[in-house]
């Protein structure tokens, strides 16, 4: 169950996953063709799920902490994380992952402080709607800047 597209001399293969229980013979052939046995598949799926769940948990913890302390739904929270991802992408050219992570943490910290000082601190006594609209505006600004700098897909 895979699709092969030929574009000139480039061969693009897109795999459609075959899950257990659907058709055991078909799934065995599929995973044997890829060279993956059952335990490798279970272990890699478990590790992938735990790592993705950990990322989601850290993002949710960040949202919870910001809302609990500042009583502000910061819609730019995910966009600041996006900026951190782009900083890691840029600094991975140095082939030093530790440097890339440290620079992403420093960059996100500086960006968060700047957003707080410029956008949120002047609105401390304002209505919740004004703060919410500002949060959406900061989010839109960060997304647009990332699209201008790195382009769109």
């Amino acid at each position: 169950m895979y699709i092969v597209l030929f574009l000139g001399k480039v061969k693009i293969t897109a795999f459609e996953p075959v899950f257990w229980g659907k058709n055991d013979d078909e799934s065995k052939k599929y995973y044997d063709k890829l060279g993956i046995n059952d335990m490798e598949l279970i272990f890699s799926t478990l590790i992938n799920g735990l790592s993705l769940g950990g990322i989601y948990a850290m993002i949710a913890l960040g949202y919870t902490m910001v809302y609990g302390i500042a009583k502000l739904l910061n819609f730019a929270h995910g966009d600041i994380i996006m900026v951190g991802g782009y900083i890691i992408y840029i600094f991975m050219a140095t082939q030093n992952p530790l440097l890339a992570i440290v620079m992403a943490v420093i960059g996100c910290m500086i960006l968060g402080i700047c957003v707080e000082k410029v956008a949120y601190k002047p609105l401390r006594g304002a209505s919740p709607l004004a703060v919410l609209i500002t949060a959406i505006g900061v989010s839109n600004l960060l997304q647009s800047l990332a699209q201008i700098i790195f382009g769109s897909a």
Side-chain angles (χ1 to χ4, degrees), residues 76 79-80 82-83 86 90 111 114-115 118 136-152:
D79 299 310
I80 292 174
M82 172 200 64
V83 170
Y86 276 125
I90 290 169
L111 180 62
C114 291
V115 166
V118 171
I136 293 170
V138 169
S139 173
N140 194 11
L141 174 74
L142 291 175
Q143 288 176 18
S144 298
L145 287 175
Q147 191 173 16
I148 289 169
I149 294 169
F150 295 101
S152 62

Side-chain angles (χ1 to χ4, degrees), residues 1-5 11-19 22 26-27 29-36 41:
M1 289 286 198
Y2 58 92
I3 302 166
V4 179
L5 301 173
K11 177 180 159 185
I12 301 172
T13 305
F15 289 101
E16 175 188 325
V18 179
F19 299 103
K22 181 178 176 186
E26 190 176 340
S27 64
K29 290 177 188 173
Y30 176 76
Y31 291 119
D32 287 343
K33 187 175 187 177
L34 294 177
I36 300 172
L41 182 65

Side-chain angles (χ1 to χ4, degrees), residues 57-88:
M58 287 192 314
I59 292 171
L61 183 63
Y63 274 117
T64 304
M65 288 176 56
V66 168
Y67 182 74
I69 293 169
K71 299 295 182 216
L72 164 74
L73 283 174
N74 187 4
F75 287 108
H77 185 82
D79 299 310
I80 292 174
I81 293 170
M82 172 200 64
V83 170
Y86 276 125
I87 292 172
I88 289 175

Side-chain angles (χ1 to χ4, degrees), residues 18-127:
V18 179
F19 299 103
W20 291 318
K22 181 178 176 186
N23 184 348
D24 288 335
D25 293 334
E26 190 176 340
S27 64
K28 278 287 188 198
K29 290 177 188 173
Y30 176 76
Y31 291 119
D32 287 343
K33 187 175 187 177
L34 294 177
I36 300 172
N37 65 26
D38 291 343
M39 286 308 293
E40 287 177 350
L41 182 65
I42 290 171
F43 186 69
S44 67
T45 303
L46 179 70
I47 296 299
N48 288 337
L50 287 174
S51 63
L52 186 61
I55 292 170
Y56 288 159
M58 287 192 314
I59 292 171
L61 183 63
Y63 274 117
T64 304
M65 288 176 56
V66 168
Y67 182 74
I69 293 169
K71 299 295 182 216
L72 164 74
L73 283 174
N74 187 4
F75 287 108
H77 185 82
D79 299 310
I80 292 174
I81 293 170
M82 172 200 64
V83 170
Y86 276 125
I87 292 172
I88 289 175
Y89 175 75
I90 290 169
F91 278 94
M92 281 305 289
T94 64
Q95 300 296 321
N96 188 349
L98 186 60
L99 174 67
I101 292 171
V102 168
M103 294 307 291
V105 168
I106 291 171
C108 288
M109 182 180 66
I110 291 170
L111 180 62
I113 291 170
C114 291
V115 166
E116 167 65 25
K117 298 287 184 198
V118 171
Y120 299 140
K121 193 169 185 178
L123 298 174
R124 284 286 178 228
S127 70

